[in-house]
Amino acid sequence: TNREANWSQVLLILSWLVWGSVAVASARFVLHLEEERTVAVDALTASEQRFRRLADHAPDVILRFGIHPTRITYANSKIEDLTGYPPEAFIADANLWRKLIVSEDQHRLPDWTRDLADAAVIVRVRHRTGVVHWVEARVSQILDEVGSVSGADAIIRDITDSKRAEANLTRRAYLDPVTNLANRNAVEEQLGYLVEAFRHPARTDLDNQFAVVLFLDLDGFKSINDRLGHDAGDHILMLVGERLRASVKDDDMVARFGGDEFVVVIDAVQTREQADNIASRILLSLRSPFVIGDRQMHVTTSIGASRIDRLDTKDPGTLLREADRALYLAKDSGKDRVRWFDDITPNNPGGLHPSEARRPVEQVEQPPARVVSDEQGDAPAPSPGPIARSGHISPNGAIDDSA
């Protein structure tokens, strides 16, 4: 009927209107999304441009890392000052930055793709010319909109100058400025390592060995200082230090304890005879005259010796006091000789050992040259091998600034 036909037309028109409204709304929604995407892209582009403008003028090296695969997507021009390679080289070679890090420092690099909000590491980087720089690298993750790691920013600062200043401060704290030997601070620290090693149950390699502390006081030095002045005295002290170092092995510590007193720390020997031979070499080395200008000066030394083995409970102070007491027995016995604290008894107050009639010192053979590593690990307990060495200073006076 006509009425039904009219209703059909009305329904058709309404359907068109509804679908049209939906289409318009959909179009508007799509247009809105596109506008939002455009705004987001523009904001991201502007942000990236601001980042690059800031990074390009930053005083430090700025790197931006991408992920999947891990690679450098941006490097500012400062990277060339630090490494000798332009930014383009790092973008082209994903592994170049890792290749330039000193191999011993590779383990310090963080895995920023995992559970890492921020990290700071200190490593050494090798310049294209071979020069090594100390750097501090601070790494921060970049998270995407769902909180997943999408990259990382690294700020790398050259701290070589501050490391050198730190090493100089350490040198002043642990080195004697006159002789360039270890000083009293270094001796006391080294004796702490030595005592710890002999007490530790894992150091079974020391079961049949003992360590020796030789305390030396120069004979006749004061008169040289008084007659020729402190400059000549300092020169004598320096020459004495050189002769002492030449008389012991590379891993034995030689130190100026103060004034005209020296200390030699012998890490490990197996027999009293071995220790006596070392002391005899020292006595013999100082008997040769010292030449100051056109003068020949004669200086000898008296030596007091103490020891520690696996059965002892001595601390560093006790070792030094025992050696000091034995030293003054050597002085009282005629000087230019060695006395052992172990030999002092009520019946033998002079500390004379039955082996006083041992072979003359002139027949003592020189030790074979031996160089050992001066590195010390991070483990709290000493490991088998040479006695753990102070991390500040080596026996020959070198500062260890690689930690």
Side-chain angles (χ1 to χ4, degrees):
T1 65
N2 290 334
R3 183 174 294 177
E4 292 175 345
N6 290 337
W7 276 110
S8 296
Q9 291 176 352
V10 170
L11 290 174
L12 180 60
I13 292 170
L14 289 174
S15 298
W16 286 346
L17 290 174
V18 170
W19 283 109
S21 298
V22 171
V24 171
S26 298
R28 286 178 177 172
F29 181 70
V30 170
L31 181 61
H32 178 69
L33 288 179
E34 182 63 24
E35 289 175 350
E36 286 190 341
R37 190 189 71 82
T38 301
V39 170
V41 170
D42 290 344
L44 182 62
T45 301
S47 176
E48 185 71 18
Q49 290 173 347
R50 285 195 300 272
F51 167 78
R52 289 177 180 260
R53 281 197 301 270
L54 291 172
D56 286 342
H57 296 89
D60 300 322
V61 174
I62 307 292
L63 300 180
R64 174 157 284 183
F65 292 87
I67 196 170
H68 306 311
T70 301
R71 60 189 180 88
I72 292 178
T73 59
Y74 170 80
N76 68 354
S77 59
K78 291 296 182 181
I79 192 70
E80 188 165 2
D81 296 338
L82 180 65
T83 67
Y85 294 91
E88 297 78 14
F90 291 88
I91 295 172
D93 185 351
N95 293 316
L96 178 58
W97 66 278
R98 194 176 281 272
K99 295 174 185 175
L100 297 180
I101 296 174
V102 173
S103 58
E104 292 84 358
D105 294 348
Q106 292 278 342
H107 69 282
R108 299 179 182 176
L109 298 177
D111 183 0
W112 53 265
T113 63
R114 297 190 177 181
D115 300 328
L116 176 72
D118 293 283
V121 295
I122 294 177
V123 295
R124 288 165 293 173
V125 174
R126 196 176 302 280
H127 190 275
R128 192 172 193 168
T129 59
V131 176
V132 174
H133 294 265
W134 282 94
V135 301
E136 180 186 60
R138 294 189 172 274
V139 184
S140 299
Q141 291 176 331
I142 301 173
L143 304 180
D144 60 19
E145 60 276 6
V146 297
S148 298
V149 178
S150 61
D153 287 330
I155 301 176
I156 301 173
R157 175 165 297 176
D158 190 333
I159 60 170
T160 304
D161 289 342
S162 63
K163 272 290 187 179
R164 286 174 180 162
E166 180 184 327
N168 287 333
L169 288 174
T170 302
R171 180 175 293 275
R172 285 196 288 269
Y174 287 89
L175 275 186
D176 173 60
V178 175
T179 62
N180 208 35
L181 295 173
N183 64 10
R184 181 172 186 154
N185 292 335
V187 169
E188 292 173 348
E189 185 168 301
Q190 176 58 21
L191 288 180
Y193 284 106
L194 184 146
V195 168
E196 181 184 359
F198 274 90
R199 288 179 179 173
H200 200 276
R203 292 303 305 263
T204 55
D205 58 308
L206 299 176
D207 283 350
N208 298 316
Q209 301 187 63
F210 61 93
V212 177
V213 175
L214 301 179
F215 209 133
L216 289 71
D217 185 273
L218 301 183
D219 306 320
F221 176 77
K222 185 178 184 302
S223 63
I224 294 176
N225 227 13
D226 292 342
R227 285 187 291 117
L228 301 182
H230 290 290
D231 288 344
D234 287 350
H235 188 63
I236 291 287
L237 294 174
M238 183 185 65
L239 295 177
V240 167
E242 292 176 356
R243 294 190 187 184
L244 292 179
R245 278 193 292 211
S247 300
V248 300
K249 293 179 290 189
D250 291 335
D251 51 331
D252 295 328
M253 173 174 274
V254 177
R256 182 187 176 205
F257 205 67
D260 60 349
E261 295 178 332
F262 293 80
V263 170
V264 176
V265 181
I266 304 170
D267 279 351
V269 292
Q270 293 181 326
T271 66
R272 166 75 172 261
E273 183 180 10
Q274 290 175 338
D276 280 336
N277 284 344
I278 295 170
S280 295
R281 281 198 299 270
I282 291 173
L283 292 171
L284 180 61
S285 72
L286 297 185
R287 288 175 184 164
S288 299
F290 295 89
V291 178
I292 304 293
D294 57 352
R295 296 171 179 261
Q296 287 192 350
M297 312 305 299
H298 293 271
V299 173
T300 59
T301 188
S302 300
I303 303 175
S306 63
R307 54 174 280 169
I308 184 172
D309 58 29
R310 299 279 281 166
L311 300 179
D312 282 324
T313 58
K314 299 174 184 177
D315 58 27
T318 300
L319 282 169
L320 288 171
R321 285 192 296 272
E322 290 181 352
D324 184 56
R325 182 179 173 188
L327 162 65
Y328 282 95
L329 285 176
K331 287 278 191 184
D332 293 342
S333 300
K335 303 179 181 179
D336 189 23
R337 65 196 62 209
V338 59
R339 287 290 180 264
W340 284 79
F341 179 82
D342 287 354
D343 295 336
I344 301 173
T345 66
N347 296 326
N348 185 19
L352 296 176
H353 190 264
S355 63
E356 284 293 318
R358 64 184 180 276
R359 58 181 174 167
V361 295
E362 287 77 5
Q363 298 178 15
V364 175
E365 297 178 358
Q366 294 297 321
R370 181 161 70 94
V371 179
V372 299
S373 171
D374 194 42
E375 296 180 359
Q376 179 190 345
D378 295 327
S383 58
I387 301 296
R389 180 69 58 191
S390 164
H392 296 294
I393 187 171
S394 67
N396 60 13
I399 292 292
D400 179 9
D401 57 359
S402 63

